[in-house]
Amino acid sequence: MRPDRVVLRMVTAKLSRPFENRWQSFETWTKVLVRADADGLSGYGECTAMETPYYNYETIETAWHLLARYLAPLVLDGRDMSVVSGHEEAKGALECALWDLRARLAGRPLCVEIGGAVRPVEAAATVGIEPSPEELVAAVGAARDAGYHRVRVKIRPGWDLVPVRAVRAAFPGLPLIADANAAYGPGDLDHLTGLDGLGLLAIEQPFGAGMIDESAALRRRLTDTTVCLDESVKSAADARRALRAGACGIVNIKIGRVGGLAEAIRIHDLCRDHGVPTFVGAKYELGVGRWTNLALATLPGMTLAGDVGPSARYYVDDGAFPTVEFAAPGWVEPLAAPGIGAEPTDGVAVTRELVLTKE
C-alpha cells in the first residue's frame, strides 16, 4: 500500500509505577508513533525499540533515523522496505500503520483483517525485578488478584532461584514464566536446572539470541519445565531453526522484534503447524501498540495468555482513546471497529514531529 503522507511523532509517557528488568529501571518510556494517511483515513503503528541497545541493537533514536531517512520515503515512493537490511523495530512500526490503514479502508477490524476475530483473549502480566522477594510476592499477588491468567517474572544472575521459589510457595497454582532476557551463559546450565520442579510454564530466553544449541541442551535437561524463546526468534526462519533443534516448547511473538504483523503471522502459522503454543509478547506498548498486539492475540494459534493487559497497569496515560481495559477480569477484547478502533490523543508528551509526503 502506498500512503499519501507519513507522520512521525516521538512521544514520552509516564509509567504507573517504576519497572526494572535485568538492565535498568524505568519511570518513563519513549516511543515513536507512526501515522500513514491515504484517501482521507489514517492508520497507526508504534515503534517498540527501547532507548538503550541492550534488548536489541536498535534504539528509539536509530528507529527514528531509519524511518525518517529511509523507510518512510521508500513507502511513499511505492517501494518495498525489504531493501533495508535489519532494523525490524523501525520497519514494524510503519508496517503496522499500513496494516491499520488497510483495515480502516476496508471497514474491517484489524484482528479480522489479519485472520483473527473480535473475541475475548486471556491477559497475562509481567512483574519486574523488585527490591526484595517479599515485594515481588506482593506484586505477583496483586496481578493474580486482578484476574491475570499468567504472570511472567524477570530474573537475572543473583535474582532467580530465591525469588521464584518465594512466588511459587505463595501461589502454588499460578501459571508462571521466569524470563531471563538472555542473562545467562553456557556455564549456567546446572544453575538454571534449579528452577525445574517448581511447576513453571517456562524459562524464557535463558541464553543469548544466537545460542540455540544451548537452549536445546537446557530443554533436554529439564523434566518439568520447557523453554520459551523470545530474542532468538526474529523471523520465521529463526523459528524454524529453533523448532528443528528442539530448542523451545513455546514462542513469544513480539511484533516489533520480528518486523511487523506479516512476519508475526508467519511465525504463528509455523508454530501452530508444529503444535507449539505461542503468545503475544510486549514491551510496555502505548495504546496504539497495545491495540495492535491485541489484534494479533486473537489468531487461533495464540493459545497462551498474552501480554495485552489493560493500559492503566503500565501507564498513567497511554495516549490513545479508548484504552485497553478488561472486558471481564483477566480478559481483553479488540474493538469491533475498523482498524485498531482507537485514535491517538494528546495524553503523552510529543517531543519531536516530522511530516513526510510524496514528492
Side-chain angles (χ1 to χ4, degrees):
M1 175 178 292
R2 185 179 182 185
D4 303 317
R5 182 170 68 166
V6 172
V7 180
L8 308 178
R9 287 193 176 97
M10 186 85 79
V11 302
T12 298
K14 181 175 177 57
L15 302 186
S16 299
R17 65 188 299 267
F19 172 77
E20 185 175 348
N21 58 23
R22 63 167 287 216
W23 302 293
Q24 62 191 119
S25 180
F26 303 84
E27 293 186 3
T28 62
W29 212 294
T30 298
K31 306 279 189 180
V32 174
L33 297 181
V34 180
R35 190 182 91 205
D37 300 336
D39 298 333
L41 293 175
S42 299
Y44 301 96
E46 178 180 323
C47 183
T48 58
M50 301 176 76
E51 294 177 57
T52 55
Y54 303 140
Y55 173 84
N56 186 13
Y57 71 89
E58 291 182 80
T59 68
I60 204 66
E61 288 291 346
T62 66
W64 177 276
H65 173 69
L66 265 290
L67 283 161
R69 177 65 178 84
Y70 298 102
L71 300 176
L74 282 170
V75 168
L76 288 166
D77 195 38
R79 299 171 63 192
D80 197 289
M81 289 187 287
S82 63
V83 299
V84 173
S85 298
H87 298 281
E88 287 83 7
E89 298 269 15
K91 290 176 181 176
L94 182 50
E95 194 246 34
C96 284
L98 296 175
W99 270 104
D100 187 39
L101 177 60
R102 181 172 123 175
R104 290 175 191 253
L105 289 169
R108 289 189 289 267
L110 178 61
C111 58
V112 174
E113 185 71 18
I114 65 173
V118 179
R119 66 174 181 89
V121 297
E122 293 182 333
T126 296
V127 176
I129 293 169
E130 297 287 333
S132 70
E134 293 76 18
E135 288 166 280
L136 175 65
V137 168
V140 172
R144 182 205 60 173
D145 294 344
Y148 288 93
H149 291 264
R150 184 261 296 159
V151 176
R152 177 204 279 116
V153 295
K154 296 291 186 178
I155 62 172
R156 65 185 177 198
W159 179 262
D160 42 33
L161 301 185
V162 171
V164 174
R165 285 171 180 162
V167 171
R168 175 49 77 219
F171 310 107
L174 181 66
L176 290 172
I177 290 178
D179 183 11
N181 285 122
Y184 298 88
D188 295 312
L189 278 169
D190 287 340
H191 180 71
L192 287 170
T193 58
L195 292 169
D196 206 15
L198 296 178
L200 298 180
L201 185 61
I203 300 170
E204 183 172 336
Q205 197 62 48
F207 306 115
M211 299 172 68
I212 296 298
D213 291 342
E214 289 79 0
S215 293
L218 175 62
R219 191 177 177 214
R220 287 192 298 269
R221 295 179 62 169
L222 299 172
T223 59
D224 188 47
T225 314
T226 193
V227 172
C228 172
L229 289 184
D230 177 353
E231 290 97 319
S232 291
V233 179
K234 296 181 179 178
S235 65
D238 286 345
R240 188 173 294 107
R241 282 191 290 271
L243 293 171
R244 286 175 177 169
C248 61
I250 298 173
V251 175
N252 169 346
I253 303 178
K254 287 192 174 92
I255 295 171
R257 188 190 73 234
V258 305
L261 282 165
E263 193 68 9
I265 295 165
R266 283 190 281 270
I267 296 169
H268 160 275
D269 292 349
L270 176 68
C271 291
R272 182 189 56 186
D273 292 345
H274 282 75
V276 172
T278 56
F279 66 89
V280 175
K283 284 163 65 182
Y284 266 68
E285 277 82 351
L286 297 173
V288 167
R290 195 164 296 272
W291 284 114
T292 306
N293 283 349
L294 184 46
L296 182 65
T298 71
L299 294 185
M302 295 288 184
T303 55
L304 299 176
D307 298 333
V308 287
S311 302
R313 174 178 172 81
Y314 303 97
Y315 287 102
V316 174
D317 189 322
D318 75 353
F321 181 83
T323 60
V324 176
E325 297 179 353
F326 279 146
W331 295 84
V332 288
E333 186 170 351
L335 300 169
I340 60 173
E343 301 288 334
T345 68
D346 59 1
V348 292
V350 179
T351 58
R352 200 180 309 170
E353 180 172 297
L354 179 65
V355 179
L356 300 102
T357 58
K358 290 180 180 178
E359 293 185 359

